[in-house]
Amino acid sequence: MIEQHSIQRNAEIITIVSGKGGTGKTTIVSNLGRLASQFGKKTLLIDCDFSTKGLSLYVIGPRTIKGNCLLEFITQSIKPSELRILQPNETSFPFDLLPVSNDLLKYVSDDNIEQNFNDTANGKSTGERFYQRMKVLFEELKTRYDVILLDTRGGADYKTVIPAILASKYILVSEVDQLSWDVSRSLTNAIEQNTFDAKAVSGGFIFNKNTFFGEYMRGLEAIVVTSAAFAI
């Protein structure tokens, strides 16, 4: 359950995206969460990768969770106050975590996700239920935290685009090969030309897994991440 707080906050919501999987998003989100917490920011990480569940598995491992997580919030008519958010003493990490689902041992197929995230039978466009539920979630949680970081699935479908356009800013993670450049361009176009008429704000980019420029590029990467995320 979401803990009630007397302090009214207004979180910076940052969505980490990439055009394909395997770019290191999950590790980057976790490290940014640690960094924000070290700066004294009350920080929440949200696992929004419904296929791999990478952030949830990385932080707490394969297990079941008593309560409602992100998948249950999207697909059921529950309130944000009914969400099960894990605290640092439950994760051994210095930030809160909203896991992707309450059963991390269960595989959820893309077809099942699409069936539950869309309401085309009632005349709504693809992804609209997901958009509306995520919007409600952000509006509630941003009053509870200083920083909210989202880990998304690699790709350019609406499950990546919507968290990016609803956030305060999104940060693109890419490797430096041609394929990564191409899929990153496709994702950026999908975000900027989204069908929800939402104005997306780019917070920067990260070149990860660099094999050239050595220490210079690693230093540049650290500067881009820190300045884009926390404006310092």
Side-chain angles (χ1 to χ4, degrees):
M1 307 292 285
I2 292 181
E3 183 181 348
Q4 298 299 316
H5 299 274
S6 58
I7 299 176
Q8 188 78 2
R9 304 175 190 269
N10 187 22
E12 183 87 345
I13 303 175
I14 304 166
T15 298
I16 309 299
V17 301
S18 68
K20 66 180 185 67
T23 59
K25 286 192 317 304
T26 298
T27 303
I28 289 170
V29 169
S30 177
N31 288 339
L32 285 175
R34 287 178 178 273
L35 183 62
S37 297
Q38 289 172 0
F39 284 157
K41 305 292 186 180
K42 184 170 176 58
T43 303
L44 171 69
L45 271 58
I46 300 177
D47 187 355
C48 203
D49 187 340
F50 300 93
S51 297
T52 70
K53 308 176 183 179
L55 182 63
S56 299
L57 294 173
Y58 179 70
V59 174
I60 60 176
R63 52 177 280 196
T64 56
I65 301 162
K66 294 181 180 179
N68 299 302
C69 300
L70 182 59
L71 180 63
E72 292 74 42
F73 176 79
I74 299 297
T75 58
Q76 303 171 25
S77 297
I78 64 173
K79 300 176 182 178
S81 59
E82 298 174 311
L83 284 169
R84 179 72 166 89
I85 294 181
L86 302 182
Q87 308 296 315
N89 64 314
E90 299 174 281
T91 66
S92 298
F93 284 78
F95 45 71
D96 290 0
L97 172 71
L98 175 56
V100 68
S101 69
N102 60 19
D103 189 352
L104 300 178
L105 298 168
K106 181 180 179 181
Y107 172 74
V108 181
S109 68
D110 283 344
D111 288 343
N112 184 264
I113 291 173
E114 294 296 331
Q115 183 178 2
N116 284 286
F117 280 18
N118 296 298
D119 195 10
T120 53
N122 292 325
K124 295 182 178 180
S125 61
T126 300
E128 185 168 336
R129 176 180 176 81
F130 184 53
Y131 176 88
Q132 295 298 336
R133 293 297 281 168
M134 289 299 292
K135 187 175 181 179
V136 169
L137 182 68
F138 281 6
E139 289 174 350
E140 170 68 25
L141 293 180
K142 72 180 182 180
T143 65
R144 311 287 183 186
Y145 292 91
D146 300 312
V147 176
I148 298 175
L149 295 158
L150 281 85
D151 186 25
T152 59
R153 180 184 182 181
D157 70 3
Y158 70 87
K159 293 184 290 296
T160 297
V161 170
I162 287 173
I165 64 178
L166 287 174
S168 308
K169 64 183 70 171
Y170 71 91
I171 297 177
L172 175 68
V173 180
S174 178
E175 297 172 75
V176 294
D177 58 277
Q178 186 61 51
L179 173 61
S180 296
W181 279 111
D182 291 342
V183 295
S184 294
R185 187 179 300 111
S186 296
L187 173 57
T188 301
N189 289 339
I191 291 173
E192 299 298 331
Q193 301 169 14
N194 67 86
T195 59
F196 295 92
D197 295 324
K199 178 63 175 177
V201 178
S202 173
F205 59 88
I206 300 171
F207 287 138
N208 202 22
K209 302 183 180 180
N210 297 298
T211 58
F212 58 93
F213 293 151
E215 294 299 325
Y216 170 76
M217 283 301 293
R218 282 194 288 273
L220 175 61
E221 176 181 306
I223 292 171
V224 170
V225 173
T226 305
S227 62
F230 305 116
I232 62 170

